[in-house]
Amino acid sequence: MSDDPGREFLFSYGTLLLPEVQLDTFGRRVPSDEDVLPGYRLEWTDIDDERVAQLSGMDAHPILRRTGDPRDRVFGRVLELTADELDAADEYEVSLYRRTRAVLASGREAWVYVGV
């Protein structure tokens, strides 16, 4: 993945990794690399947004909760996005999530959606 200053990195652990969600949200399949987010754990939350549930095929989605415990880790992928695609990801994510910066196990800093 490039370190182009015009690129944004987004750590994804859920439905934004699905091909149909990427095609609908970004208009393309997005390059990605495996990575790990330490200090968080995955939980599940119900999704009331019918469009998002229909697109993903799931009415419950994974959601991150910060624990601060380095033994807790979430496995996922880092998506390389444009600024416009990051805005599109914000539109896709429901109000149960907020976007924040995090440092991944690789040392890379990326955006990540966590539970509010």
Side-chain angles (χ1 to χ4, degrees):
M1 295 181 79
S2 76
D3 287 323
D4 178 341
R7 294 291 177 181
E8 299 283 352
F9 296 107
L10 174 66
F11 179 79
S12 182
Y13 51 90
T15 60
L16 281 173
L17 296 175
L18 298 172
E20 58 274 18
V21 172
Q22 287 187 3
L23 289 171
D24 185 78
T25 305
F26 309 122
R28 67 183 180 108
R29 293 289 310 273
V30 179
S32 64
D33 290 327
E34 291 181 356
D35 214 324
V36 177
L37 178 62
Y40 287 81
R41 71 172 186 265
L42 270 184
E43 295 179 355
W44 290 86
T45 190
D46 292 330
I47 299 298
D48 295 329
D49 185 304
E50 188 174 320
R51 180 187 172 281
V52 171
Q54 185 175 16
L55 180 60
S56 70
M58 303 177 341
D59 57 4
H61 286 194
I63 193 166
L64 288 179
R65 299 287 181 206
R66 180 165 172 67
T67 66
D69 185 340
R71 295 173 296 182
D72 289 332
R73 299 181 306 161
V74 175
F75 294 85
R77 299 189 70 81
V78 179
L79 306 176
E80 184 176 345
L81 304 175
T82 65
D84 287 343
E85 289 170 334
L86 188 60
D87 289 343
D90 287 345
E91 289 291 320
Y92 170 79
E93 293 297 350
V94 297
S95 62
L96 298 171
Y97 298 86
R98 69 177 170 80
R99 181 165 47 96
T100 189
R101 299 290 267 170
V103 177
L104 305 174
S106 66
R108 173 180 279 163
E109 189 174 332
W111 293 108
V112 61
Y113 291 103
V114 300
V116 291

